[in-house]
Every structure is written in C-alpha cells, then in structure tokens.
Amino acid sequence: MFESFSVAFISIVLEAMPFMLLGTLVSSLIEVFVSREWIAKRLGDGKFSYFFLAGLMGIIFPVCECAIVPIMRRLIKKGVPKGIAITFMLAVPIVNPMVLFSTFYAFPKQPEMVFGRAILGYIGAILIGVIMDRQLGDKHILRDEHSAIESCGCHHHEDSHCECHDHSESHSHDHHECGAHAHEKPSAKSQFLHIIAHTSGEFIDVGRFLILGAFIAASMQTFVPKNLLSAVSDNSILSILIMMLMAFVLSLCSEADAFIASTFNNTFSSTSVLAFLIFGPMIDIKNTIMLSASFKSRFVIRLISVIFIVCFALTLIVSMLL
Amino acid sequence: MITEKQIRTIIYTILSLLITGLLVSGRTLQYLHPRMIKFQIFAAIFLILLTIYNWIKLVRKELNTTSSSKTEKRLQWRTVIPFFLLFLIILLNPNTLSAEAKQNKTLQLGEIEQSTNMKPQEKDLVKELTPEEIASKEEGNTFDESKYDNSDILNENNIVGGNTNNTEDINASLPTDFLGIVSGMYDTPELFLGKTVVLEGFVYREDAYTDDMFVLGRLLITCCVADASIAGLYIEPENASDYATDSWIRVEGTVVEGEKYLPETDSYMDIYTLDNMTIEKIDTLENPYVYWTY
C-alpha cells in the first residue's frame, strides 16, 4: 500500500509542479512590471460597476491566492473600497488565464469545469464583495498601518535593488541585504534578477503546501476505502461540504489545485469538485493565517463565513439545476 | 548553522536533479500521461535555472566577508520537511499500484463515456499512424486487423465520424489498442460482434464478484496515476479462479453480447464480453497504462 501511496503522491506533485512554476513566474513578472497604484487608480472609485471590473482583473493580473492577500491589503491602504478589494482578492486567483489553463489540463474532457469555475468564481467573488461592502460600511478592518504581512516592499518603487530579496514565510521579505533604496529606473538585468529572485522564493513558499496537499490527497485515495467515499458522495450536500472542507485544509495553490481536484472526480460529483475549485482559492488555512496577521479577527471570521455561505449556495444551486 | 538560503539552494539542486533524472530515464511515464511530458521539460529547465541562480547567490554571499551571518534567516523545518519527504519518496522509486489500491479506483466497464467525447480527436491522431506504429506504441495490444471487414469500418466511420470524403484515412482508424477495442465494443458493437480479439490486462475483482468471473482491466490515465480508473470488460472464463487477482493475462476470444447480473449495480444489463476464450498468463507489461490520445 505504501508503494501505491507513493506513486499517487509523486504523480500529483509532478503533474502540478510545472503549473506552479509557471504561476510563480507570472506572479513575479507582475510584481516587477505592474504597480498596485495602477490597479488602485482603476478600482478606487467605488462605483457598483467596479465590482464587475475587479472580478476580471485576474485576466491581466494572474496571481494565485498565495500572493493575493498582501496585494489586497495594499489596495485597501491605497484607498480602494473594501468590497471591491475583496472581490479583487477572491476573483483574481480563479478568473485568471493561468488557473483556467491548468484547470483545462486537469479536466481535458470536461470543459464545463473550466467554464463553471470561471463563472461561479466570478459571480461568487462579486456577491461576496457586495455583501461585505454593505456589512462593513466605514468600519476599520486593518489591524494597523504597519502590519506584519506585506508583499515585497520594493514592489513598484521603480527602484533597482530587488535582486537581493529573500522570500520567507507568508511572502514576507527580508530587505536586510538590500541597502539603501535607490529610486532609479531599474536595468533590464536587475529586473530579470528580481523576477528570478521572486520566483525562487515564492516557489519554495507555496511548493510545500502543494506537497502537503498531495500527501493528503494521495493518502485519501490509497487508504480511505472507495465505499466510504462513495457513501458520502451519494449525498450532494455532504459531498459539497466535504470537498469545501478539503479545499480549506489542503491550502493548495490555485494554479495546481485542479490536478488534485481531478483525482476526486471519479468519486465525488462534478458540482462538489466545483465547490473545491472555487472555495479553495478564495479561502484556505494559509490565507486565513495571512489575513489574520493583517486584518481584525472579526472581519476575517465574517469574511470566511460569507465566502462559505456563498460558495456553498452557488454550488448547491448548480447541483440542483443539473 | 544552515541558513534558509543554503537549504533553498540544496532543495533546488536536488529537485532539478530528480526531475531531470526522471525525464531522462523515462520514469516520468510511470506517473504521468505522455502529454504532460512537455510541461515536465519546462519544469526541469526552469528548476535548473533557479538552481544556478541560487548557487551563484550563495557563492557570492560566501565570498562577501562583510556580510554578517546574524542577518541570515535560520533554517525553517516546516519548509524543509515537505521537500525532503518528496525527495525520499521519489528515490524509493515506487512504480506500481497494488491490488488494494486498484480496488479504490473507479471501474469503467464498456461505457467508457470519454470515448464518445474524445472520438474526433482520437481519430485525427490515429489517422496519422499505421497499425504497426500503433501496435509498437501500445505494447501488447495485438488486435489482428486482418480479421476485420474494412467495409464495416468505412460504414462505422461514415456514421460516427461523419467523414465520408476521406476513405483512406478512415481505413487507418481501425482500433488496435485495448481502449479502442473495449470502448468500441460498446460504441459500435456491430463492428465487433462475432469477431476475435486479443487483449492483455490484469485480473480485477471486487468483493461482490462470484468465483467464475472477473474484469480484464487496464489502468486508464487522464493526467496522472492518481486520477486513474480501471477500464475493462467482464469475462467469465471456465477456470476463472485459476487466475489470481492483479495477475496479468492475454485473452483471445470472440466478442459476444449477453445479459448479465452486475454486482455493482445490483441489476441485469446488456453487456459485451468474450466467449471461446484462450487465456495465457503473461508478465506485467512494461507500460501497464492506457491513455486516450488527444
């Protein structure tokens, strides 16, 4: 049995790794070339239509959920309305070409999974953003102005020091090696090194979650009897809840989670797999930890509750319609 | 003290060596569908680049005597342990799924619904291959095309593929592989009924099965082994109990239609199976998997 577990474990990791590498590379490119100010300018107005725009930002800003919390925090600090920033945070890791590309590869015979993920993720992110916007009003949700979690501090400073960054837990960075920030236009070489440095750090950060996720998924496949899972999967509500719980616990990168979701496709219903695919990128253990470091606990609990209710309701409606 | 930077360099070095080694040795195919190989090549190249980058950074750092070790981040075990667990398991070189693990896979008998969806793409690819090429690619799938009536194939393609203008290509789309034959029995039974086929696979049993039956199966991979399901068909050879579960056999038999009680569904269903069978025990095939090609 251990050998069977090992085969499944390795195959999941190997399958997802290239997509995770590609995702971290794209994320690093954006980190270097796209400024938060640019996004803040386009989302800062607060008009209702901006929710729809925020939900589509992942198309030009394809970042996985591993890197999105610090960006969302920065957007709020830049003055983007909270609801729109939340929609942005929830939609970007789903409605983005990298994630949909990997989903397409993971479900080659089920294009409906790609469309379902994109559409439900988009609708869900907007709904959650609007609900949270109404609930939060003018409440302050940030812990303080100098919270621990930050994205790369050098980001878009138009500086040239960043090749020396170290990435560590939760995408916080050490700037100890950087020395003074030289606010000059960076050279192509320094930009290239910055991209490589970001990718190098980020891949290790998120890769361990992939490995842990693959470990749990392979364990379930190997050691949990099919009959037991089948009994759960026969109940549509229970199977959706189980898959949402699994997405939360596994904490997979959205660029690789489709491959793990596809391993449950033969056991669980498509809608419950869809629940896994939209709930996981919106909230999981690692994002909860990152959110808790930057935002007030009451806000985090409320956000998780709304995400849970909306994702559950959407997938349940889809399962009833199908 | 080992720093995070050093351990990161070690992780990238081992990871790039392992991924490259798996690719070069062909072991990647023990775990993944062949269509995923291009992504593995990308990963190997990118990991080598990251390895070189980290080594250069590390060497520069070591040479720079002015930097203080106090500013170095300490090794974080929660980062190290998952990666070294992965390395250890890869180095153990696991390559087969046990019979117990196969029990946890979904069983697809005949109604391998993907075959309907995949048909156009599958045929497009098959058109480019000669039967010999297909046979050499799918080791052990020794379907004898001379036993088929080509006019049936033409009719089949006219109906299913709707391609009536390209008869030469249609001739080449004769199914010669395990998956093509097993799904073809259900998709286009008129082509197969009464014909003799040769199939190689493993013996698969579930608890509910009676002693006189088993499934002749192969693991069907969509992306990776983790998502594999068992594709196959029921057979009832005379001395079924002589063949151990998970052992590999070559079965030659005539395709017949019948009604059978299926323990999985607790109902009688029309199935296609083999009759007048000759069974031979064989070694496990070098590549035990079957794939849809697209």
Side-chain angles (χ1 to χ4, degrees):
Chain A
M1 287 294 270
F2 178 74
E3 186 169 24
S4 303
F5 160 79
S6 303
V7 170
F9 172 67
I10 294 171
S11 67
I12 294 170
V13 173
L14 288 183
E15 184 187 29
M17 189 182 293
F19 291 91
M20 186 167 279
L21 274 168
L22 206 55
T24 51
L25 174 64
V26 172
S27 169
S28 302
L29 286 168
I30 289 163
E31 185 76 11
V32 174
F33 294 113
V34 183
S35 71
R36 289 189 194 88
E37 286 77 4
W38 184 87
I39 296 171
K41 268 183 195 171
R42 279 149 187 83
L43 297 178
D45 196 304
K47 288 179 187 168
F48 188 71
S49 60
Y50 280 52
F51 282 99
F52 296 95
L53 185 62
L56 293 173
M57 288 300 276
I59 294 169
I60 54 169
F61 199 80
V63 178
C64 72
E65 91 283 8
C66 313
I68 201 70
V69 173
I71 298 171
M72 176 263 209
R73 178 179 182 275
R74 181 60 63 95
L75 288 178
I76 289 175
K77 291 180 80 172
K78 292 280 181 190
V80 173
K82 292 183 276 289
I84 290 175
I86 289 168
T87 295
F88 174 88
M89 179 184 78
L90 302 180
V92 163
I94 300 174
V95 190
N96 95 44
M98 286 302 307
V99 171
L100 298 179
F101 176 60
S102 68
T103 309
F104 171 76
Y105 251 87
F107 296 91
K109 297 178 293 293
Q110 292 175 280
E112 67 273 17
M113 296 301 281
V114 182
F115 293 115
R117 184 176 204 186
I119 293 166
L120 286 189
Y122 182 65
I123 294 171
I126 291 171
L127 279 175
I128 296 162
V130 171
I131 292 168
M132 290 301 291
D133 196 61
R134 297 290 176 271
Q135 286 195 354
L136 291 171
D138 295 330
K139 286 178 188 165
H140 294 288
I141 56 173
L142 286 169
R143 280 194 183 277
D144 58 62
E145 293 300 305
H146 306 288
S147 194
I149 302 283
E150 279 280 4
S151 184
C152 175
C154 64
H155 178 56
H156 314 303
H157 289 188
E158 308 297 322
D159 56 13
S160 56
H161 70 287
C162 297
E163 66 207 59
C164 52
H165 278 195
D166 265 354
H167 286 229
S168 65
E169 283 305 294
S170 305
H171 298 272
S172 60
H173 311 300
D174 280 348
H175 293 253
H176 56 268
E177 300 172 70
C178 302
H181 283 212
H183 288 260
E184 299 166 358
K185 189 171 184 179
S187 66
K189 183 190 168 190
S190 74
Q191 283 183 327
F192 174 74
L193 289 172
H194 188 184
I195 290 164
I196 296 294
H198 264 276
T199 308
S200 169
E202 200 163 302
F203 177 73
I204 296 285
D205 279 352
V206 296
R208 63 194 171 96
F209 287 105
L210 168 69
I211 295 170
L212 289 173
F215 190 91
I216 295 170
S219 301
M220 286 195 65
Q221 287 214 350
T222 313
F223 301 116
V224 180
K226 184 171 69 179
N227 296 342
L228 188 65
L229 288 177
S230 299
V232 172
S233 66
D234 286 344
N235 183 318
S236 60
I237 292 176
L238 203 54
S239 62
I240 289 172
L241 290 173
I242 292 278
M243 289 304 282
M244 286 172 70
L245 178 67
M246 203 119 69
F248 186 80
V249 173
L250 293 180
S251 298
L252 296 167
C253 171
S254 63
E255 275 143 11
D257 63 353
F259 294 102
I260 288 174
S262 69
T263 67
F264 295 105
N265 205 27
N266 290 330
T267 311
F268 288 90
S269 65
S270 293
T271 42
S272 55
V273 173
L274 212 48
F276 180 98
L277 291 174
I278 63 167
F279 186 69
M282 289 188 182
I283 194 73
D284 56 27
I285 288 177
K286 68 174 185 298
N287 271 9
T288 303
I289 293 167
M290 291 169 77
L291 281 167
S292 303
S294 298
F295 295 91
K296 291 177 178 172
S297 301
R298 186 173 290 184
F299 163 76
V300 176
I301 292 167
R302 184 177 289 183
L303 178 65
I304 293 173
S305 306
V306 174
I307 293 172
F308 171 80
I309 292 166
V310 170
C311 289
F312 179 72
L314 283 175
T315 45
L316 193 62
I317 289 167
V318 170
S319 74
M320 286 160 64
L321 291 175
L322 293 178
Chain B
M1 181 190 75
I2 299 175
T3 64
E4 190 182 336
K5 190 166 286 182
Q6 289 167 334
I7 203 69
R8 186 194 298 170
T9 307
I10 293 168
I11 287 173
Y12 273 116
T13 306
I14 299 175
L15 197 57
S16 55
L17 284 173
L18 285 176
I19 300 295
T20 308
L22 287 174
L23 270 171
V24 171
S25 66
R27 280 178 54 206
T28 306
L29 289 176
Q30 288 175 5
Y31 309 109
L32 299 178
H33 190 294
R35 74 191 169 95
M36 306 301 283
I37 293 297
K38 54 182 176 287
F39 297 110
Q40 294 301 306
I41 294 170
F42 160 77
I45 294 169
F46 201 20
L47 285 170
I48 289 169
L49 178 68
L50 292 175
T51 304
I52 293 168
Y53 168 81
N54 276 286
W55 272 109
I56 291 171
K57 289 269 295 174
L58 194 64
V59 170
R60 278 188 183 169
K61 185 82 183 168
E62 292 299 321
L63 292 176
N64 183 3
T65 52
T66 59
S67 71
S68 167
S69 61
K70 285 178 184 174
T71 59
E72 285 281 1
K73 288 184 85 66
R74 286 191 175 188
L75 170 66
Q76 298 214 18
W77 287 104
R78 57 184 166 178
T79 301
V80 176
I81 290 170
F83 280 97
F84 279 85
L85 176 73
L86 172 69
F87 300 154
L88 180 67
I89 291 177
I90 291 177
L91 289 171
L92 290 173
N93 190 22
N95 55 23
T96 54
L97 290 181
S98 66
E100 291 86 358
K102 284 174 186 164
Q103 291 284 333
N104 261 1
K105 299 293 181 189
T106 304
L107 183 60
Q108 300 189 51
L109 292 167
E111 75 290 357
I112 307 168
E113 69 250 21
Q114 290 93 329
S115 64
T116 309
N117 298 332
M118 302 307 295
K119 210 125 204 170
Q121 293 142 309
E122 187 193 0
K123 284 191 186 304
D124 286 346
L125 185 60
V126 174
K127 281 174 198 169
E128 297 168 12
L129 304 174
T130 66
E132 290 78 15
E133 287 171 331
I134 295 168
S136 65
K137 276 177 174 289
E138 291 286 327
E139 183 187 339
N141 294 324
T142 54
F143 188 79
D144 186 353
E145 73 165 322
S146 67
K147 292 172 184 170
Y148 281 78
D149 179 353
N150 276 348
S151 64
D152 282 345
I153 299 295
L154 287 171
N155 289 335
E156 182 267 331
N157 278 280
N158 286 344
I159 297 163
V160 178
N163 183 354
T164 56
N165 299 322
N166 200 353
T167 52
E168 286 182 12
D169 285 345
I170 290 169
N171 275 326
S173 66
L174 187 71
T176 59
D177 60 293
F178 184 94
L179 213 48
I181 293 169
V182 172
S183 63
M185 285 183 191
Y186 281 81
D187 290 343
T188 55
E190 66 278 7
L191 283 179
F192 290 87
L193 283 171
K195 306 286 171 57
T196 301
V197 295
V198 180
L199 296 169
E200 292 178 336
F202 56 80
V203 175
Y204 174 80
R205 288 188 177 90
E206 295 204 347
D207 293 341
Y209 290 4
T210 52
D211 292 341
D212 61 344
M213 64 176 285
F214 56 80
V215 166
L216 177 66
R218 293 281 286 270
L219 282 170
L220 169 63
I221 291 182
T222 305
C223 283
C224 72
V225 176
D227 66 31
S229 55
I230 296 170
L233 71 163
Y234 283 114
I235 57 173
E236 291 183 335
E238 282 184 2
N239 43 358
S241 56
D242 289 353
Y243 304 99
T245 300
D246 212 30
S247 63
W248 282 74
I249 53 173
R250 176 183 293 118
V251 182
E252 182 173 351
T254 309
V255 178
V256 293
E257 184 181 12
E259 190 179 54
K260 173 149 183 65
Y261 172 75
L262 300 183
E264 292 91 349
T265 57
D266 192 24
S267 61
Y268 283 88
M269 287 184 72
D270 288 334
I271 64 160
Y272 297 94
T273 183
L274 302 181
D275 199 5
N276 300 321
M277 282 174 276
T278 308
I279 302 182
E280 178 190 350
K281 292 178 181 175
I282 58 170
D283 293 332
T284 303
L285 297 180
E286 192 177 333
N287 182 359
Y289 308 118
V290 289
Y291 321 96
W292 290 115
T293 49
Y294 45 91

